[in-house]
Amino acid sequence: MTISHVPPVRIQDRTAELAEIKAHAAAGPDPGATERQHAKGKLTARERIETLLDEGSFHEIEALRRHRATGFGLEGKKPHTDGVITGWGTVHGRTVFVYAHDFRIFGGALGEAHAQKIHKVMDLALAAGAPLVSLNDGAGARIQEGVTALAGYGGIFRRNTQASGVIPQISVMLGPCAGGAAYSPALTDFVFMVRDISQMFITGPDVVKAVTGEEITHNGLGGADVHTSVSGVAAFAYDDEESCLEDVRSLLSLLPSNNRETAPREETADPADRRTDNLLHLVPAHPGQAYDIRTVIEEIADDGEYFEVQRSWAQNVVCALARFDGHVTGIAANQPVSAAGALDIHASEKAARFVQFCDAFNIPILTLVDVPGFLPGVDQEHHGIIRHGAKLLYAYCNATVPRIQLILRKAYGGAYIVMDSRSIGTDISLAWPTNEIAVMGAEGAANVIFRREIAAAEDPDTERAQKIKEYKTELMHPYYAAERGLVDDVIDPAETRSATVAALTMLRTKHADTPSRKHGNPPL
């Protein structure tokens, strides 16, 4: 009997086979799917990763993963990657983990294998102590896989929560995100959206119409502009994917890799002791005259640069990241050009979350104060301004990072306390000679304190003016708080940058012990 000779398998053959399989996995099972993605004005998942990460730095994991589901035709459709690309690379030379839904495969819908790949990269990011960026473009749960798909989402939510405050988490919305899938972005630190191509909602327009009779488009219900200016769910909106992903890179450059590190320092030619004489002209002395607080930030930050968060939502407070002498600092500031800078429900929530984020990731906080108080109104009271305002109070009181308060002009009532006053733990409180710190404005205070004298006067208007002047002289002069130790120094506005940098430098080694507890119970 003759035995046929079987040639031995060469490693070169296996290598060629592997290259062919990986090339097919990268191309996707349907050549037309890439064209359809581009026809919608959208990049593919791999193109997005290439745009986000440093060139040639991406290392993919589980590229050959396939689902094991059967039924409903799935047994005949088992493409590699299972519709999500996972791995790590670098942004400005620092490690970043990423996963990207591939809409070309199952519409990016999440199934068991798909979810397990995301779980793996999330676990790796947490273990390595590196940021996680999700590029979202999926149709939700893979209906054919039933409850296992829902369980996959649960695993993602649990990991989002475990990683919260440990590593930065950024969600980039580049397609539809409906139902329970929207909760993962909501659990992350920052949400980016691109106009026209991305939407987020729990129930879509069809369900809304069926239940309430309201007719609305996908973008009108959950588009980028809705979530950046109305709901506050998203922090940033862009017209195209490239500029969006470029700003994700910019944000990552300002953040530490994890909560055990500090944000990277960047060398600057901007002198730490540079005078800020322009502030004498940018900020009006009269407390009722409006100005844009951003001009102050531009004047004092390194090279006038800052990265603003949630610019279009709750515009009466500005939250931004900037550098001082190369070191990243968070800035929370009242905005006099919007609602006179008064705090309301949304502004309190916005600032509270920003302060909480900065504290979690060792970013010092500079608070610029020019606040007339909390916004009055039945609507504000009935919707819980007490509870929401307490969120900001809690965030500041709980923060252990270096904290500096700078009072530019007015600081009235409870809003003064909430905006990181000395009494709630700010490390250094500075004030300009235009500061007015009081329970309320002089006009209101005089009307309360001297109401009988004013009413009994022959000329009430003259008497009121005299009493207002008297109140200001006694209790609202710029040195009243300094005399009582509630302000550390009253400074020349031209020295604002140098004083801020000096305080930040002194506080860089700050250490604060906290009470032993599992966690607090903040007003949610």
Side-chain angles (χ1 to χ4, degrees), residues 277-363:
D277 294 281
N278 286 340
L279 293 177
L280 297 168
H281 312 291
L282 292 172
V283 180
H286 192 281
Q289 196 170 342
Y291 65 95
D292 192 339
I293 194 66
R294 296 186 186 94
T295 61
V296 175
I297 298 173
E298 290 171 2
E299 186 65 21
I300 63 177
D302 287 358
D303 304 308
E305 296 179 354
Y306 63 96
F307 193 93
E308 188 172 352
V309 176
Q310 292 186 301
R311 185 185 182 103
S312 299
W313 185 62
Q315 297 182 43
N316 39 331
V317 68
V318 170
C319 297
L321 295 168
R323 283 190 167 91
F324 291 84
D325 194 30
H327 295 276
V328 177
T329 299
I331 300 173
N334 304 114
Q335 174 58 292
V337 296
S338 178
L343 291 175
D344 61 5
I345 288 172
H346 289 163
S348 298
E349 288 185 334
K350 173 180 171 178
R353 183 159 173 79
F354 181 73
V355 167
Q356 186 171 269
F357 174 83
C358 290
D359 185 53
F361 290 102
N362 309 310
I363 298 172

Side-chain angles (χ1 to χ4, degrees), residues 115-124 151-153 155-156 159:
Q116 288 175 349
K117 288 183 65 175
I118 295 175
H119 297 167
K120 175 66 177 290
V121 79
M122 295 179 80
D123 290 341
L124 283 173
Y153 274 122
I156 293 173
R159 287 169 172 83

Side-chain angles (χ1 to χ4, degrees), residues 164-319:
S164 180
V166 181
I167 57 173
Q169 299 180 83
I170 296 173
S171 299
V172 188
M173 315 310 297
L174 301 166
C177 186
Y183 286 117
S184 177
L187 289 168
T188 60
D189 299 305
F190 299 101
V191 176
F192 290 70
M193 296 187 74
V194 177
R195 295 181 179 93
D196 297 328
I197 68 170
S198 63
Q199 302 89 29
M200 296 172 65
F201 36 68
I202 300 300
T203 54
D206 293 340
V207 176
V208 170
K209 182 179 179 180
V211 174
T212 69
E214 299 171 285
E215 292 192 21
I216 193 167
T217 64
H218 285 77
N219 280 324
L221 182 63
D225 290 322
V226 168
H227 285 309
T228 51
S229 63
V230 180
S231 73
V233 171
F236 311 97
Y238 300 86
D239 292 327
D240 58 82
E241 295 189 39
E242 291 83 358
S243 60
C244 174
L245 294 171
E246 184 57 39
D247 260 11
V248 174
R249 289 175 56 87
S250 296
L251 176 58
L252 286 167
S253 73
L254 292 162
L255 305 180
S257 292
N258 55 65
N259 66 342
R260 298 182 301 278
E261 299 180 6
T262 56
R265 183 176 186 267
E266 185 176 276
E267 292 296 330
T268 178
D270 195 350
D273 59 354
R274 169 173 56 81
R275 286 180 61 84
T276 50
D277 294 281
N278 286 340
L279 293 177
L280 297 168
H281 312 291
L282 292 172
V283 180
H286 192 281
Q289 196 170 342
Y291 65 95
D292 192 339
I293 194 66
R294 296 186 186 94
T295 61
V296 175
I297 298 173
E298 290 171 2
E299 186 65 21
I300 63 177
D302 287 358
D303 304 308
E305 296 179 354
Y306 63 96
F307 193 93
E308 188 172 352
V309 176
Q310 292 186 301
R311 185 185 182 103
S312 299
W313 185 62
Q315 297 182 43
N316 39 331
V317 68
V318 170
C319 297

Side-chain angles (χ1 to χ4, degrees), residues 96-111:
V96 172
F97 287 81
V98 61
Y99 68 86
H101 299 127
D102 192 343
F103 198 83
R104 303 174 304 167
I105 298 174
F106 298 129
L110 181 140

